[in-house]
Amino acid sequence: MRSKMRLSSQNLSELLKSPQYDGFLDNFHTRPFKKGSIISIPDVSGNEVFIVSAGRLRVYLSYEGREFTLCYLDEGDIFSTHTRAFIEAAKDSLVMLTSAQAFRQQLAAHPEISLLMTGILGEVLGSSWDVIEGLIFHDATSRLTAFIVSLGRERGQRIGAGVEFECDLTMEDISLVIGATRQTTSSLFNILIKEGDLTRIAKNKFIISDIDALATRLSVYKK
């Protein structure tokens, strides 16, 4: 399971400030969105391309009253409203938008941007398969463990006590990522802490005592 926290290592909003991309953003307009605001709804929103200028957006699926987080878009990430996913502001955010038609015209001169967007969409597709595979084949313990291992490997730093990483998601946010209730997620999280696999050293900072051993246990959980 991917951590779903950042899809691209390239901050596109910074890249497009380079002289070689002069004029690329002329057709974009900036809109603010308050935390919790819905930015895009499947089959309702227009066909636009957007770049996150500030804040964080959540891309998710909704089915019969349940929500499944596919990924988060952070500053510099690019995405489209023309998908079957909902998009909401996870924080107060600024978003630069343009029509898909205007964007395609710009891509003719800068095809490398298209490759970057294709990579992000590929990551979202992979997250969709993670959701399906996790709900069908794996239990909540396995899904939470996989999420924590992924965070540690993608964002962590090895120290004497293990792998230290930051996670500013709430327990509710994490429950939507792994497809479990908040109560179940909180209980499983506390079990990992009680058993010594995970240590909370600050509000949003944790240490995984032995990330390789925790990853190995995933094969046990999946049976």
Side-chain angles (χ1 to χ4, degrees):
M1 173 178 282
R2 299 161 177 77
S3 71
K4 307 180 182 182
M5 292 301 297
R6 181 162 180 85
L7 299 183
S8 173
S9 59
Q10 178 68 65
N11 186 322
L12 189 57
S13 57
E14 290 297 321
L15 175 67
L16 294 177
K17 293 177 182 178
S18 304
Q20 69 190 91
Y21 298 109
D22 187 39
F24 191 96
L25 297 175
D26 287 352
N27 292 320
F28 283 77
H29 61 281
T30 301
R31 286 185 58 188
F33 291 93
K34 290 290 187 181
K35 179 180 178 180
S37 299
I38 300 298
I39 297 170
S40 179
I41 299 175
D43 303 321
V44 175
S45 304
N47 191 3
E48 294 183 299
V49 174
F50 65 84
I51 300 170
V52 183
S53 182
R56 175 181 292 164
L57 310 183
R58 181 170 75 102
V59 182
Y60 67 97
L61 300 177
S62 180
Y63 180 72
E64 294 185 347
R66 297 186 66 185
E67 295 181 3
F68 305 94
T69 298
L70 297 180
C71 66
Y72 285 92
L73 303 172
D74 284 328
E75 180 181 347
D77 280 336
I78 185 170
F79 204 64
S80 169
T81 61
H82 190 59
T83 70
R84 297 178 64 182
F86 291 81
I87 304 172
E88 74 167 354
K91 297 180 178 180
D92 289 348
S93 302
L94 285 176
V95 178
M96 297 184 293
L97 304 102
T98 188
S99 69
Q101 181 179 1
F103 185 72
R104 282 194 295 267
Q105 293 172 350
Q106 291 283 23
L107 288 183
H110 304 285
E112 66 274 18
I113 303 299
S114 179
L115 292 175
L116 178 61
M117 188 171 184
T118 299
I120 291 177
L121 292 174
E123 287 292 329
V124 175
L125 178 61
S127 293
S128 301
W129 283 111
D130 281 346
V131 169
I132 296 170
E133 180 184 291
L135 293 176
I136 294 176
F137 299 110
H138 310 319
D139 61 16
T141 298
S142 176
R143 297 196 299 271
L144 177 61
T145 303
F147 174 72
I148 291 173
V149 168
S150 181
L151 269 181
R153 286 178 169 168
E154 292 177 13
R155 315 177 100 195
Q157 178 179 1
R158 288 194 177 269
I159 59 174
V163 174
E164 180 181 309
F165 69 94
E166 291 189 14
C167 177
D168 61 353
L169 298 181
T170 66
M171 201 58 63
E172 177 69 22
D173 292 333
I174 296 174
S175 71
L176 293 173
V177 168
I178 69 170
T181 66
R182 184 191 181 284
Q183 182 177 1
T184 296
T185 303
S186 180
S187 296
L188 293 175
F189 209 87
N190 288 332
I191 289 173
L192 288 172
I193 293 176
K194 183 178 180 180
E195 294 183 347
D197 297 307
L198 194 65
T199 302
R200 188 194 301 269
I201 58 175
K203 182 180 179 181
N204 298 321
K205 189 173 291 187
F206 304 87
I207 294 177
I208 302 173
S209 57
D210 190 337
I211 192 169
D212 296 325
L214 194 58
T216 299
R217 280 164 52 186
L218 283 174
S219 60
V220 176
Y221 292 144
K222 292 175 182 178
K223 292 180 180 179

